[in-house]
């Protein structure tokens, strides 16, 4: 398991915010608020496994447009 770097995490955040600004059929404010809330909540994660899980969850959302 390789823990994502701070730069990778910030890039993911930036991409999720951009993705949220282009949503058509979903409430943008809810989506953007949810993304911000998740990042704030997960800021204190220290376990590499938890950090990697959250990172992969965000990447999946970008790739598939939804979380499984």
């Amino acid at each position: 398991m390789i823990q994502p770097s701070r730069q990778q995490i910030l890039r993911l955040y930036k991409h999720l915010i951009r993705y949220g600004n282009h949503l058509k059929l979903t409430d943008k404010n809810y989506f953007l608020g949810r993304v911000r809330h998740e990042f704030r909540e997960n800021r204190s994660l220290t376990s590499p496994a938890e950090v990697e899980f959250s990172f992969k969850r965000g990447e999946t959302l970008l790739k598939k447009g939804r979380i499984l």
Side-chain angles (χ1 to χ4, degrees):
M1 267 194 274
I2 298 175
Q3 186 174 355
S5 69
R6 176 178 165 81
Q7 184 179 12
Q8 289 173 313
I9 292 170
L10 292 175
R11 189 177 310 126
L12 175 63
Y13 178 77
K14 184 177 175 181
H15 288 302
L16 285 169
I17 295 296
R18 284 185 181 162
Y19 174 78
N21 285 327
H22 291 95
L23 289 174
K24 301 283 186 220
L25 302 174
T26 304
D27 182 15
K28 288 180 187 182
N29 293 328
Y30 173 78
F31 179 84
L32 295 172
R34 186 73 182 153
V35 167
R36 289 183 183 110
H37 173 76
E38 287 291 328
F39 272 82
R40 269 190 237 117
E41 190 175 286
N42 293 333
R43 184 184 341 187
S44 62
L45 292 179
T46 55
S47 167
E50 290 175 342
V51 171
E52 185 175 357
F53 174 77
S54 295
F55 184 77
K56 287 195 182 288
R57 189 171 164 216
E59 283 185 324
T60 301
L61 174 62
L62 279 177
K63 288 179 185 173
K64 300 197 181 221
R66 60 189 168 96
I67 296 178
L68 298 173

